[in-house]
């Protein structure tokens, strides 16, 4: 008889988070330093991911507990999954994830700077588009941080013509320790596992880096404007801070279109 499904998932989540704590803190601090330096220079940390990696992108901004300086880039053609089939379906999205040459096309939309940083999110680190975007960011002089799973990457084959995987391009690698295949719960009589782990460990790492970035900005005398719940500051101050945060984001993002 297989282990209870709740116990399996909670055990895997705890093990993944313990692994992150055991060996990812130096890389997380290094990534936060890169992010803080970019934000202090009034530049941006671009955050890119396709498919389910969109969740980690939006975790950085604009959800509660986040702040300007992070620029989420989400291509709807590769991340709008609600229809599943038909127009804008999942088959098309998965096909487009592996079209070569997307990186230069994407970055031509923005006036980037070598002071910018890219956080590229991909659990397997092998889809062509994310590799393309990261490689072009490096060519443009940006530093690249990868949020990925090295175990998943090792078990996968790059779909990019260069043969490279995301972690091989990045300056800093954040390994969220999801296993190859990601799903972690096995059920007796069911051929395949269910319930992926990367959302838990990947978003945990993203929030750790976000917190350290906020600490560094505050330490430098430039505390960020944070989207904050009324539970923390009261409704009036929370509303005012909401407007200030989006005004600050609009100011920062303007540099991309000069």
């Amino acid at each position: 008889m297989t282990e209870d499904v709740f116990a399996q998932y909670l055990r895997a989540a705890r093990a993944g988070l313990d692994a992150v704590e055991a060996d990812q803190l130096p890389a997380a601090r290094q990534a936060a330093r890169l992010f803080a330096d970019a934000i202090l220079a009034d530049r941006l940390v671009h955050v890119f991911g396709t498919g389910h990696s969109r969740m980690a992108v939006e975790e950085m901004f604009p959800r509660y507990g986040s702040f300007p300086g992070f620029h989420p880039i989400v291509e709807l053609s590769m991340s709008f999954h609600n229809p599943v089939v038909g127009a804008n379906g999942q088959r098309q999205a998965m096909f487009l994830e592996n079209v070569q040459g997307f990186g230069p096309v994407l970055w031509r939309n923005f006036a980037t700077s070598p002071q910018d940083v890219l956080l590229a999110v991909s659990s397997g680190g092998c889809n062509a588009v994310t590799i393309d975007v990261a490689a072009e960011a490096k060519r443009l002089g940006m530093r690249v941080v990868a949020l990925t799973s090295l175990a998943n990457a090792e078990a996968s084959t790059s779909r990019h013509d260069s043969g490279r995987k995301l972690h091989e391009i990045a300056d800093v690698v954040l390994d969220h320790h999801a296993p190859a295949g990601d799903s972690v719960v096995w059920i007796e009589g069911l051929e395949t596992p269910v319930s992926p782990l990367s959302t838990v460990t990947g978003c945990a790492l993203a929030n750790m880096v976000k917190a350290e970035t906020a600490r560094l900005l505050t330490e430098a005398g430039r505390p960020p404007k944070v989207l904050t719940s009324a539970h923390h500051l009261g409704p009036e101050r929370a509303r005012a801070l909401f407007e200030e945060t989006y005004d600050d984001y609009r100011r920062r993002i303007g540099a991309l279109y000069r």
Side-chain angles (χ1 to χ4, degrees):
M1 183 176 178
T2 55
E3 184 182 14
D4 175 77
V5 294
F6 295 163
Q8 284 188 65
Y9 194 83
L10 290 171
R11 176 172 50 78
R14 291 188 187 102
L17 292 172
D18 285 347
V20 165
E21 183 178 17
D23 63 18
Q24 291 304 298
L25 301 191
R29 294 189 194 283
Q30 188 179 359
R33 182 74 266 174
L34 289 176
F35 295 171
D37 286 348
I39 294 170
L40 287 169
D42 272 340
R43 292 304 309 177
L44 291 160
V45 179
H46 308 285
V47 191
F48 180 86
T50 66
H52 75 272
S53 295
R54 172 181 180 147
M55 289 183 283
V57 173
E58 294 180 349
E59 195 74 14
M60 299 305 288
F61 193 80
R63 66 162 302 168
Y64 276 166
S66 64
F67 47 89
F70 295 100
H71 171 222
I73 304 175
V74 174
E75 293 289 324
L76 291 180
S77 59
M78 290 174 276
S79 60
F80 183 59
H81 298 154
N82 298 32
V84 185
V85 297
N88 302 301
Q90 187 67 12
R91 288 187 180 94
Q92 298 95 300
M94 294 179 70
F95 174 84
L96 291 172
E97 277 188 329
N98 291 301
V99 173
Q100 297 282 138
F102 185 82
V105 174
L106 172 76
W107 290 118
R108 282 202 63 186
N109 288 288
F110 306 116
T112 62
S113 162
Q115 290 180 296
D116 292 349
V117 179
L118 170 66
L119 172 59
V121 186
S122 174
S123 189
C126 290
N127 78 58
V129 163
T130 306
I131 294 167
D132 233 25
V133 167
E136 181 66 5
K138 285 292 290 282
R139 192 191 71 79
L140 292 168
M142 288 181 254
R143 304 293 290 276
V144 174
V145 177
L147 177 58
T148 189
S149 162
L150 293 180
N152 212 341
E154 185 177 351
S156 304
T157 301
S158 174
R159 298 181 183 92
H160 195 268
D161 285 349
S162 69
R164 290 187 296 175
K165 300 175 182 180
L166 179 61
H167 71 274
E168 295 170 333
I169 295 172
D171 299 287
V172 179
V173 177
L174 301 172
D175 181 6
H176 57 57
H177 284 289
D182 208 352
S183 296
V184 294
V185 174
W186 291 89
I187 297 169
E188 189 172 0
L190 182 60
E191 182 182 14
T192 57
V194 298
S195 302
L197 185 64
S198 60
T199 308
V200 172
T201 53
C203 287
L205 251 177
N207 277 295
M208 289 165 57
V209 173
K210 187 198 305 178
E212 176 65 1
T213 303
R215 187 192 71 79
L216 290 169
L217 295 174
T218 304
E219 183 179 71
R222 298 266 300 276
K225 296 183 182 300
V226 180
L227 290 170
T228 301
S229 168
H231 294 298
H232 296 300
L233 297 175
E236 186 174 338
R237 176 58 183 142
R239 278 194 299 270
L241 192 53
F242 180 92
E243 296 298 336
E244 292 171 18
T245 299
Y246 281 113
D247 285 344
D248 187 29
Y249 181 80
R250 182 183 61 197
R251 177 186 66 81
R252 292 174 181 276
I253 211 73
L256 288 177
Y257 302 101
R258 290 173 186 161

